[in-house]
């Protein structure tokens, strides 16, 4: 974290059901001798003022990582927006010094080491209310920067309006989009299938990690 960068809490979203891997916890899959979750933590911990893990079910299965494990505050596996809302509520209650939350998927083992810095810079430069990552020609709405002050509006959207798609909600605000290069590898490659895990093993060698 740099002195001129706003305090940013990181939330690692692990609330999915991993159906394409036959169930279970995707972040616990191993790539190059390390779990995906270990890789995500290693990438984001130096960039954030603390990390929390958003996961449903028994939190004890993540005890070895030493992170606060926070379950969705909206019932029914409402998707990643529910995880974002949970993190905003947690930050308001436990980290009143933090105005911004970075969300990241826990199936992305190669996240950029400048993720927070570039998102914050773009948000400030463009006068945006939110910021989101992109690579190639694809936006990654799950990987973004959220203002804690918007938690009430997000709760209304989720609970009252039944909005589930991140894009539908972020369309209401001025959004900064930051694109990363993909020449060596896509830093937002996500391991959704067994085949993806095999590909991630190959990419890990290219990434030097």
């Amino acid at each position: 974290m740099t002195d001129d960068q706003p305090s940013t809490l990181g939330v690692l979203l692990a609330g999915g059901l991993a159906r394409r891997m036959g169930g279970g916890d995707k972040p616990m899959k191993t790539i190059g001798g390390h779990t995906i979750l270990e890789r995500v933590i290693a990438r984001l911990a130096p960039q954030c003022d603390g990390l929390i893990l958003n996961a449903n079910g028994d939190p004890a299965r993540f005890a070895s990582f030493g992170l606060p494990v926070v379950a969705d505050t909206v019932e029914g596996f409402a998707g990643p927006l529910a995880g974002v809302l949970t993190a905003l509520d947690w930050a308001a209650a436990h980290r009143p010094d933090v105005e911004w939350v970075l969300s990241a998927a826990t199936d992305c083992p190669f996240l950029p080491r400048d993720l927070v810095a570039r998102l914050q810079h773009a948000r400030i430069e463009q006068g945006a209310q939110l910021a989101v990552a992109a690579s190639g020609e694809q936006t990654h709405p799950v990987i973004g920067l959220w203002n804690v002050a918007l938690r009430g509006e997000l709760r209304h959207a989720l609970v009252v309006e039944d909005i589930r798609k991140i894009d539908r909600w972020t369309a209401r605000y001025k959004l900064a989009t930051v694109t990363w290069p993909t020449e060596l590898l896509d830093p937002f490659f996500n391991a959704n299938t067994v085949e993806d895990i095999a590909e991630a093993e190959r990419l890990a060698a290219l990434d030097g990690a």
Side-chain angles (χ1 to χ4, degrees), residues 56 71-78 81-82 85-86 155 158-159 164:
N56 299 300
D72 286 347
T73 54
V74 176
E75 296 181 355
F77 293 102
L81 273 180
L85 174 61
T86 297
R155 179 172 294 279
L158 267 171
V159 176
R164 294 292 182 265

Side-chain angles (χ1 to χ4, degrees), residues 120-130 174-178:
Q120 286 284 18
H121 177 77
R123 176 193 64 78
I124 294 168
E125 188 176 61
Q126 298 176 34
Q129 295 164 285
L130 303 168
K174 185 170 183 180
L175 180 68
T177 300
V178 183

Side-chain angles (χ1 to χ4, degrees), residues 6 16 33 39 66 69 74 85 87 94 108 116 123 138-139 160 171 187 193 208:
R39 290 175 174 275
V69 180
V74 176
L85 174 61
H94 300 279
C108 294
V116 175
R123 176 193 64 78
Q138 183 179 1
T139 301
V160 179
T193 66

Side-chain angles (χ1 to χ4, degrees), residues 13 78-86 146 154 157-158 163-167 169-170:
L13 301 175
L81 273 180
V84 171
L85 174 61
T86 297
W146 312 84
L154 178 52
L158 267 171
I163 288 177
R164 294 292 182 265
K165 285 184 64 66
I166 295 177
D167 291 345
W169 190 66
T170 57

Side-chain angles (χ1 to χ4, degrees), residues 55-132:
N56 299 300
D58 184 1
R61 68 194 194 277
F62 296 112
S64 63
F65 295 96
L67 300 179
V69 180
V70 187
D72 286 347
T73 54
V74 176
E75 296 181 355
F77 293 102
L81 273 180
V84 171
L85 174 61
T86 297
L88 298 184
D89 286 342
W90 191 93
H94 300 279
R95 291 292 305 274
D97 59 309
V98 169
E99 184 181 356
W100 295 95
V101 169
L102 172 88
S103 64
T106 51
D107 59 3
C108 294
F110 310 116
L111 290 169
R113 292 182 171 88
D114 59 354
L115 181 60
V116 175
R118 288 194 61 195
L119 288 177
Q120 286 284 18
H121 177 77
R123 176 193 64 78
I124 294 168
E125 188 176 61
Q126 298 176 34
Q129 295 164 285
L130 303 168
V132 68

